[in-house]
């Protein structure tokens, strides 16, 4: 079992910055990859960014490319950060962190590609 916890959400003005953190606790070596997804009211959960731990491949949704950066932090806690800049009101959503715990995932932009999820953290961008 792996526990996933996000933090860092909040209210920010359009054009501002915010950094989200994701920690994964549980089995040793329990994270092969981490993904960020988001879900706005009335919409499906959508892919935002992905990073793998073995080779540090990074992928982004077109809507956030060049504005968001996903990076790795403390390996002991499998920490991953999502640095968000030039935020827009349409970035408002609950942001979820997810981990692939049993091996690398090919479905890195799909919710099916991850094994454990956090509870989510709200990001609100005011215009």
């Amino acid at each position: 079992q792996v526990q996933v916890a996000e933090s860092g959400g909040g209210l920010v003005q359009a054009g501002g910055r915010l950094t989200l953190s994701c920690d994964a606790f549980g089995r040793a070596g329990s994270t092969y990859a981490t993904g960020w997804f988001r879900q706005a009211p009335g919409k499906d959960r959508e892919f935002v960014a992905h990073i793998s731990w073995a080779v540090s491949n990074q992928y982004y949704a077109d809507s956030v490319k060049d504005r968001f950066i996903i990076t790795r932090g403390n390996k002991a806690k499998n920490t991953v950060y999502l640095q968000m800049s030039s935020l827009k009101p349409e970035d408002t959503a609950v942001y979820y962190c997810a981990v692939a715990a049993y091996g690398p995932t090919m479905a890195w932009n799909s919710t099916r590609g991850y094994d454990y999820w956090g509870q989510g953290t709200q990001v609100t961008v005011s215009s």
Side-chain angles (χ1 to χ4, degrees), residues 10-119:
L11 173 65
V12 63
Q13 289 188 329
R17 298 184 176 195
L18 207 58
T19 296
L20 306 182
S21 298
C22 172
D23 294 325
F25 307 92
R27 301 181 300 113
S30 59
T31 303
Y32 287 85
T34 300
W36 284 98
F37 289 74
R38 66 187 182 187
Q39 188 166 18
K43 295 189 177 181
D44 293 334
R45 193 168 298 189
E46 64 174 5
F47 168 75
V48 174
H50 163 100
I51 190 167
S52 63
W53 279 92
V55 295
S56 195
N57 287 340
Q58 300 166 31
Y59 303 108
Y60 298 92
D62 289 342
S63 60
V64 306
K65 202 171 292 183
D66 299 326
R67 298 190 298 122
F68 291 10
I69 299 174
I70 187 169
T71 57
R72 301 178 301 186
N74 187 331
K75 176 55 180 167
K77 293 192 290 184
N78 298 302
T79 301
V80 168
Y81 301 103
L82 184 68
Q83 302 171 61
M84 307 184 293
S85 60
S86 301
L87 283 162
K88 305 175 182 179
E90 50 264 45
D91 294 318
T92 295
V94 177
Y95 283 70
Y96 296 91
C97 178
V99 301
Y102 301 109
T105 177
M106 298 301 291
W108 46 265
N109 61 345
S110 168
T111 57
R112 296 179 288 104
Y114 302 87
D115 305 300
Y116 296 97
W117 292 78
Q119 294 296 312

